[in-house]
Amino acid sequence: DIQMTQSPSTLSASVGDRVTISCRASQSISSWLAWYQQKPGKAPNLLIYKASSLESGVPSRFSGSGSGTDFTLTISSLQPDDSATYYCQQYSNYPLTFGGGTKVEIK
Amino acid sequence: EVQLVESGGGLVQPGQSLRLSCTASGFTFGDYAMSWVRQAPGKGLEWVGFIRTKAYGRTAEYAASVKGRFTVSRDDSIGLSYLQMNSLKNEDTALYYCTRALTEPGGGYYFGSWGQGTLVTVSS
């Protein structure tokens, strides 16, 4: 199975900060990576697919990059509404696997 | 607007069975693979299984933790996906989400739309 490791597990930042979340795969997954945002008590929401493609309707302050084993989700200017947990997911191989999540808090 | 509504969750004892349903609307159901993802209380996301479209033989894939116990099926005529769960264990306790799975040539599936989830509690 491909293991997905996210870091950090929690981060605290101020409104307007640039925030980066890392996701590392245990083996190469090419660009087959998606990112999701989950707010408390809500279902996850797709942000990014194929490592860097922005899902329709997602604010442009979100971006994704990387290929192979190392990936990054960037929020260019953190907003209060971005307080959530973020998950990466690989879809290169079965079983499909998620990272453990990164909780983003607003200072 | 894509809508996915799960139902069928509840409290069951270990070893018992339960069938979850996912009612889909707002899109051509038969054109999409459908998947189930679960989230144990306070934990992260875990993929459970999915079923491909008729064009791909309605074949299914499962996580090792549920293979042989859970079955995903679909009824394209009425826009429903099902998750049949047998031999339930305490560790199957989770919120179960129905998702519309998306794919691209060469890749597997990711999850484009999600329902609000239905809670399954396995306890004696």
Side-chain angles (χ1 to χ4, degrees):
Chain A
D1 298 4
I2 297 177
Q3 308 301 319
M4 305 301 292
T5 303
Q6 287 184 235
S7 61
S9 55
T10 306
L11 73 86
S12 182
S14 301
V15 172
D17 283 354
R18 182 181 182 87
V19 168
T20 60
I21 298 169
S22 174
C23 177
R24 177 165 288 178
S26 60
Q27 65 187 73
S28 178
I29 58 170
S30 184
S31 295
W32 304 121
L33 185 98
W35 289 97
Y36 304 88
Q37 176 194 64
Q38 186 178 33
K39 296 181 180 179
K42 300 293 187 182
N45 182 51
L46 175 67
L47 298 176
I48 301 282
Y49 62 96
K50 208 171 181 183
S52 60
S53 296
L54 192 69
E55 174 69 352
S56 177
V58 174
S60 59
R61 63 181 179 273
F62 291 93
S63 64
S65 63
S67 66
T69 60
D70 292 312
F71 301 86
T72 301
L73 175 69
T74 300
I75 308 173
S76 61
S77 178
L78 190 67
Q79 299 302 303
D81 190 51
D82 301 335
S83 178
T85 300
Y86 295 83
Y87 295 94
C88 61
Q89 176 236 329
Q90 67 81 19
Y91 53 102
S92 172
N93 285 29
Y94 300 112
L96 308 175
T97 48
F98 290 89
T102 295
K103 186 175 182 178
V104 174
E105 300 173 338
I106 309 295
K107 280 183 186 175
Chain B
E1 178 192 4
V2 174
Q3 284 201 319
L4 301 169
V5 179
E6 304 91 339
S7 60
L11 173 63
V12 296
Q13 294 185 340
Q16 291 188 330
S17 298
L18 202 60
R19 188 178 82 159
L20 307 182
S21 299
C22 172
T23 302
S25 61
F27 64 100
T28 304
F29 183 77
D31 288 349
Y32 291 88
M34 298 300 295
S35 187
W36 292 84
V37 175
R38 68 185 180 183
Q39 187 168 35
K43 302 297 184 182
L45 302 170
E46 179 187 16
W47 170 68
V48 172
F50 76 82
I51 185 165
R52 296 180 178 88
T53 63
K54 178 182 177 181
Y56 290 91
R58 296 193 182 98
T59 53
E61 306 284 347
Y62 298 95
S65 59
V66 306
K67 196 169 186 178
R69 299 188 299 124
F70 289 13
T71 302
V72 182
S73 61
R74 62 189 299 156
D75 187 334
D76 293 347
S77 67
I78 54 174
L80 274 169
S81 175
Y82 303 100
L83 179 64
Q84 177 67 43
M85 303 184 294
N86 298 332
S87 303
L88 281 160
K89 305 175 181 181
N90 293 103
E91 52 264 40
D92 294 319
T93 294
L95 187 63
Y96 284 75
Y97 292 104
C98 170
T99 75
R100 187 179 75 164
L102 304 175
T103 188
E104 297 134 18
Y109 291 90
Y110 58 102
F111 312 112
S113 300
W114 300 62
Q116 287 306 303
T118 187
L119 182 62
V120 173
T121 303
V122 184
S123 175
S124 54

